[in-house]
Amino acid sequence: MKIGILGLGLIGGCLGLDLGSQGHDILGVSHRESTCKKAIELGCVHQASLDLSLLVSTDIVFICTPIGLIVPQVAQLASYLPKTTILTDVGSVKAPLVAEISPLWSNFIGGHPMAGKTDTGIDFAQRNLFVNRPYVLTPVATTPTRAITVLEEIVRSLGAIIYHCQPEQHDHAVSWISHLPVIVSASLIASCLSETDTTILHLAKNLASSGFQDTSRVGGGNPELGVMMAQYNRDPLLNSLQHYRQNLDEFIQLIEQQQWNTLEEKLKINQQARLDFLTKC
Amino acid sequence: MKIGILGLGLIGGCLGLDLGSQGHDILGVSHRESTCKKAIELGCVHQASLDLSLLVSTDIVFICTPIGLIVPQVAQLASYLPKTTILTDVGSVKAPLVAEISPLWSNFIGGHPMAGKTDTGIDFAQRNLFVNRPYVLTPVATTPTRAITVLEEIVRSLGAIIYHCQPEQHDHAVSWISHLPVIVSASLIASCLSETDTTILHLAKNLASSGFQDTSRVGGGNPELGVMMAQYNRDPLLNSLQHYRQNLDEFIQLIEQQQWNTLEEKLKINQQARLDFLTKC
């Protein structure tokens, strides 16, 4: 198959490596000449160009740009591609994208591979990033069955575990387990900085260990990504944040009122719930 | 030196292993016969007993029991030991303990080794747990210099990095980087459970990945430990929680009001601050 990859970052690069190794013909487009060169050098793509017209004869195109560019890119691609070309994206938010793209391109399926690395960029592309990772697909009622079948087959060939759901269900689910943790964790870092006694702040820094390190990790991550997810998944995220705030207030109240037995009960439920959450079903 | 270890859990066991290997004579006391046997088998102690009187001729005793038992144990020990014996503890809260113990025993120094493992209990005792880890000591104005010198020498021999501070400073510092993260993280788990749409909850569980795993880790930890730290470090923790809540509300407001530039600025400051925090000074 001729597979196009638009946006040659970590995810685009990893897709290219895996799919190229299966014998597909991989065509990449980036907005930077140096990235095009690197993508060919690293074996992520067979051909690369700054020009969208490279993708004109592809069977399927994976759009791997930052979320904010996905809709504009589809609008541009629409004038180059035959109507049979399947389009899919890898953005971490689905409902607003699917709503905007569906009227532009019927052979579009929203996608979200739940895979990544701390290091970003094509330099860190590797084989088998998607193996045993969830890969969400959000076809809608009007999506042609053929497009779903073709994309599913490719995703399955990456070793990923496919989940189907509505775009809105995806966005609510990731608001809990992916976007809420970012704000929770960011607020932790910000609040530590509010300590005005420099001796205590200095001591806190020196004593900070794995507990602080893990809890603050996603809140200290890529700021552009953080803003994107808040911007594109605003309503589900605000809903999650309101629930979070209520739960936080309950914990504060239990500590204020010294209700230690109830606190212990809640922490026991939590301990079990986390194990359940991390055991896939 | 004759070194006593009262409470043979992970920390007590690790102290025994390291100090015993240096040629000290290690005497352990536990409230369980089976733990005494195991401590000898594992080489953590040379002698072990259920009876505090075993410690009568020790030069120094490390009290490694749960926080709630430290003061009562010191009160009991006081009738057995010569006044010259140095007492120290390893509890994660210092001010209330130091305040209660100082009038009972002048040769007492509060201590807190910032080391641990996910697995607890003497079965998981290992050599060199304290190497390059912070070890806080909180002597007060009346603490005899000799006691400080002796304890410092032992702690240094473990390979730990010694920090001196007032008990209150310790408690404020750990409320930021150790106790606040527990409640922040616990509230995350509790709020995810508040999702009432079972399809979304099920999907969230299946999609939960390293971000959720790391941010929820300390909130899904040992419930008894969580209650102890809240109980003994209540005021500093409540202070940290109030600051946290303000910072959380600021983030919520930025998202509600769609102030994306300000949000990005804050996330950028966070990203840098976290790196600073984790670079020891």
Side-chain angles (χ1 to χ4, degrees), chain B residues 175-214:
Chain B
S175 86
W176 288 118
I177 50 91
S178 178
H179 302 167
L180 175 61
V182 171
I183 303 299
V184 161
S185 173
S187 304
L188 172 65
I189 303 173
S191 67
C192 286
L193 297 180
S194 66
E195 173 60 61
T196 51
D197 182 325
T198 52
T199 308
I200 290 173
L201 187 63
H202 193 72
L203 190 62
K205 282 185 181 180
N206 280 321
L207 302 184
S209 155
S210 62
F212 177 81
Q213 196 165 339
D214 283 2

Side-chain angles (χ1 to χ4, degrees), chain A residues 60 86 106-109 143-152:
Chain A
I60 181 166
I86 299 163
S106 70
N107 273 307
F108 171 79
I109 302 166
T143 313
T145 316
R146 188 194 72 91
I148 304 174
T149 312
V150 170
L151 179 56
E152 277 188 347

Side-chain angles (χ1 to χ4, degrees), chain A residues 204-209, chain B residues 133-134 163 275-281:
Chain A
K205 282 184 183 181
N206 280 322
L207 302 184
S209 155
Chain B
R133 305 295 314 145
Y163 292 93
L275 292 177
D276 292 347
F277 236 88
L278 295 175
T279 313
K280 303 303 167 203
C281 30

Side-chain angles (χ1 to χ4, degrees), chain B residues 95-111:
Chain B
L97 300 180
V98 172
E100 286 204 65
I101 296 174
S102 291
L104 298 175
W105 202 262
S106 69
N107 275 307
F108 170 78
I109 303 167

Side-chain angles (χ1 to χ4, degrees), chain B residues 66-171:
Chain B
I67 299 180
L69 296 176
I70 295 175
V71 175
Q73 292 285 21
V74 170
Q76 272 194 272
L77 274 172
S79 59
Y80 288 97
L81 300 178
K83 296 285 174 218
T84 50
T85 304
I86 300 165
L87 293 183
T88 186
D89 76 315
V90 299
S92 59
V93 175
K94 297 273 65 82
L97 300 180
V98 172
E100 286 204 65
I101 296 174
S102 291
L104 298 175
W105 202 262
S106 69
N107 275 307
F108 170 78
I109 303 167
H112 182 200
M114 307 289 291
K117 292 166 76 170
T118 313
D119 300 310
T120 55
I122 197 156
D123 289 309
F124 298 97
Q126 60 165 73
R127 292 282 302 276
N128 298 319
L129 184 77
F130 308 101
V131 172
N132 289 325
R133 305 295 314 145
Y135 198 120
V136 183
L137 297 179
T138 61
V140 291
T142 54
T143 314
T145 316
R146 188 194 71 91
I148 303 175
T149 312
V150 170
L151 179 56
E152 276 188 348
E153 202 168 306
I154 294 176
V155 170
R156 218 172 278 124
S157 78
L158 299 168
I161 305 160
I162 298 177
Y163 292 93
H164 278 258
C165 65
Q166 293 162 17
E168 293 74 15
Q169 290 174 322
H170 166 274
D171 291 356

